[in-house]
Amino acid sequence: MQFETQLLGILPRLRRFAHALARDGADADDLLQAAVERGLMRRDQWEPGTRLDSWMYRLMRNLWIDTVRATNRRGETFVPPEAGEQVGTGGGQEDAVELGNVGRALGTLPPEQREAIALVLVEGFAYREAADILDIPMGTLTSRLARGREALMARLGEAA
């Protein structure tokens, strides 16, 4: 399958991950666009036969880290904490409220926990794949997931 065809197939998942990182619709779309552009420019660095989604997730995460670092150096806030509440809405009113609660709770987690949860629980990556994308040891991923799940459940319990 061609690189471009595979990339088109994973765009919705990349967009969700961008929203999990950026927590703001416009910033997430900018991040997605930058990641796709960089992926297309560097397609020769991707090895056919390996997982394109993992490669693109890592590329997007690295772009996000660079963006946050640059923003912090300028002393500005990149995203407001309440952003990202309507990501993926489309169900009934109760579903939208619950999704908003989950989005808000996810947005309060530290970035490390938010990334781990987005990759494993939302995107469905195996622990090893998520650890590789985040470039961390498997034990670190497991710790972040455990702490993130616990914090998420506590926050969602408060919202009920």
Side-chain angles (χ1 to χ4, degrees):
M1 190 180 329
Q2 284 187 324
F3 179 89
E4 293 85 1
T5 305
Q6 288 184 33
L7 184 59
L8 281 174
I10 62 171
L11 277 178
R13 294 174 53 210
L14 289 171
R15 187 167 191 265
R16 276 195 311 263
F17 187 55
H19 277 271
L21 294 174
R23 296 181 291 172
D24 175 76
D27 293 334
D29 289 342
D30 289 346
L31 177 60
L32 175 63
Q33 181 177 342
V36 169
E37 180 181 357
R38 184 168 288 180
L40 289 170
M41 289 186 338
R42 296 182 180 178
R43 78 177 88 187
D44 59 319
Q45 295 177 6
W46 174 68
E47 296 179 30
T50 62
R51 292 192 55 166
L52 178 62
D53 57 352
S54 295
W55 186 73
M56 286 298 300
Y57 275 93
R58 183 182 296 242
L59 194 148
M60 180 182 286
R61 180 177 179 268
N62 289 341
L63 275 171
W64 176 249
I65 290 169
D66 292 345
T67 301
V68 170
R69 284 180 182 156
T71 301
N72 287 341
R73 281 192 298 269
R74 288 189 305 268
E76 300 173 0
T77 302
F78 192 74
V79 295
E82 63 276 355
E85 296 172 8
Q86 298 301 317
V87 175
T89 59
Q93 185 176 1
E94 290 176 5
D95 291 339
V97 168
E98 187 58 32
L99 187 57
N101 290 341
V102 172
R104 279 187 294 281
L106 188 59
T108 66
L109 297 179
E112 300 83 21
Q113 292 174 9
R114 198 171 57 247
E115 290 173 344
I117 287 175
L119 288 173
V120 174
L121 300 179
V122 177
E123 296 303 323
F125 279 95
Y127 282 29
R128 170 56 46 212
E129 293 169 318
D132 289 344
I133 290 169
L134 298 174
D135 198 26
I136 58 175
M138 185 87 132
T140 303
L141 175 75
T142 305
S143 301
R144 290 178 183 177
L145 278 172
R147 288 191 310 271
R149 279 185 186 129
E150 186 176 309
L152 201 54
M153 294 306 291
R155 286 172 176 88
L156 289 173
E158 294 169 5

